[in-house]
Each structure stands twice: as C-alpha cells, then as structure tokens.
Amino acid sequence: MATDRPGRDLSPHGETRVIKLPPHAPGMRIGLFGGSFNPPHQGHRLVALTALRRAGLDAVWVMVTPGNPLKDPAQLPPFAQRLADVEKFFRHPRIRVTAFEAPLRVRYSWQTVEFLARRGRGVKFVWVMGADNLAGFHRWRRWRDIANTLPILVVDRPGSTHRAAFGGAAGWFSRARLPEAQAAGLFRRKPPALVLLHGPRSPLSSTQLRQRAP
C-alpha cells in the first residue's frame, strides 16, 4: 500500500516539489471532495458522508484548495487557518483532510485530476461535489477533461436541484447520467458518468455563515 510519506512530483510550473498524499493503493475507491471550505459546515459533512455510504467508497479526501479562480482570493482567510478549521471539523476515520494542492501549486481542478491520475495509478477515484457546484460546473476551466477522466458523484443541495438537473452542463451530461440505484457501482463506470443523489440536506452554506459572522 502507498503511504502518506512524501513523494516528489513536478508542479505545473516545472519545479520538483514534495507532495504528501493520504494512504492509498490500487483498487481503493476514493472520493475527491474539493473546496475552499470558508468555513466548513454541516452541508459539507453531509456531502462527504453521503458519498461514503451510497457510493461504496473506502475513503473521501477533503481537498482544501489554496483558492478558487471563480472567487475573490482577497475574501479568503489564510490557507493555514482554513486547513486547521477543516481538520477540526471533519473527524471521521474514513475522511482524510488533504492540503497537497498548495505545495503542488495547482490553480484549477483539472490539474489536480491530471496529477492524481498519474500519481494514483490503479486507484478508483470518483469526483464528489454538491449540486450547487454542478450548477456552475460549465464555468470551470477544462471541465470536460475532468468529466472524461473521472466519474462524478453529485449530492443534492437546497436551492440547486433544478439548476443541477437542467442547467449549465446538464445537457452535456444527459447521456452520461445514471440512476441513483447505480451509485454504488459508479467507480466501475468509464467516464463520462454521473449520478445525482437525493436525500437529507442541510440548509447551511458558507456564504450564509460568513454573513452571520460578527
């Protein structure tokens, strides 16, 4: 089994950098759940736990991103603070909080997917996101490359059900969308493949929590 000992990889800038990943091995089923988590909340937890339970995953990697190209970086707290908050929030034996995107210096999710496809050969990665992110997925840089590399598991979020199912990239995914009953076998599917899961939802959002903060 691969461990969380550092390995050396080229960053997108051509530098050799030490990158530390959680334990993984060929054949493992791992969900990749990225975000700025500013701050983490119960909605994030529901997405991670729903993915673990209904997609039959061995683990979910919560990837704390250095920044979001679609958001103002000046509005983000320091990366170290967000990472510490996420580590305190997600306490589960099968949820691993990771920070490898920072030393890797990736800016876009397609770069993360490309790196993991190379570094984690044989691992059954599944991209995990909330329905609010799927609604804007068509705005992500090279989103089709992500969809053509990894199967995607989407967990419903309040206010995003209709937009995720019918707006944005939904038309492109129409032939790739699978029924919820097939979520447990999603990791076996050749991309593009997408499952939208419905179930318990939390009304909380990071935006609402920031607005309530003194």
Side-chain angles (χ1 to χ4, degrees), residues 13-199:
H13 303 278
E15 306 159 308
T16 300
R17 308 190 67 83
V18 176
I19 308 300
K20 186 177 181 180
L21 296 178
H24 58 284
M28 286 187 68
R29 300 159 293 182
I30 297 176
L32 304 174
F33 181 29
S36 52
F37 301 102
N38 177 35
H41 55 74
Q42 186 61 25
H44 294 138
R45 188 189 303 277
L46 273 175
V47 169
L49 293 177
T50 299
L52 274 174
R53 183 177 71 254
R54 296 184 60 184
L57 301 177
D58 297 307
V60 167
W61 291 1
V62 175
M63 304 181 300
V64 183
T65 62
N68 184 331
L70 298 177
K71 297 180 181 179
D72 182 1
Q75 302 299 317
L76 284 177
F79 178 76
Q81 176 184 329
R82 288 188 290 117
L83 178 61
D85 289 343
V86 174
E87 288 176 336
K88 291 177 183 177
F89 182 80
F90 284 99
R91 294 189 178 275
H92 189 283
R94 291 163 58 200
I95 297 178
R96 301 299 296 267
V97 177
T98 75
F100 68 89
E101 287 182 309
L104 191 60
R105 293 187 180 178
V106 297
R107 178 169 170 79
Y108 301 103
S109 293
W110 70 263
Q111 295 172 308
T112 298
V113 169
E114 186 179 74
F115 164 74
L116 289 174
R118 180 180 71 250
R119 178 76 176 272
R121 294 187 186 279
V123 177
K124 305 296 184 181
F125 288 117
V126 174
W127 191 263
V128 177
M129 66 169 73
D132 48 341
N133 279 320
L134 178 62
F137 190 50
H138 62 290
R139 299 173 58 206
W140 293 24
R141 182 72 61 90
R142 292 177 59 172
W143 62 271
R144 291 180 182 85
D145 289 342
I146 300 173
N148 283 320
T149 303
L150 299 180
I152 297 176
L153 183 72
V154 182
V155 180
D156 195 16
R157 292 276 293 136
S160 300
T161 305
H162 183 84
R163 290 189 299 133
F166 302 104
W172 189 89
F173 277 113
S174 60
R175 294 186 178 180
R177 184 170 170 180
L178 304 170
E180 292 189 51
Q182 296 187 26
L186 181 61
F187 65 90
R188 300 190 190 96
R189 292 284 183 166
K190 181 180 179 181
L194 179 145
V195 170
L196 174 59
L197 293 176
H198 300 85

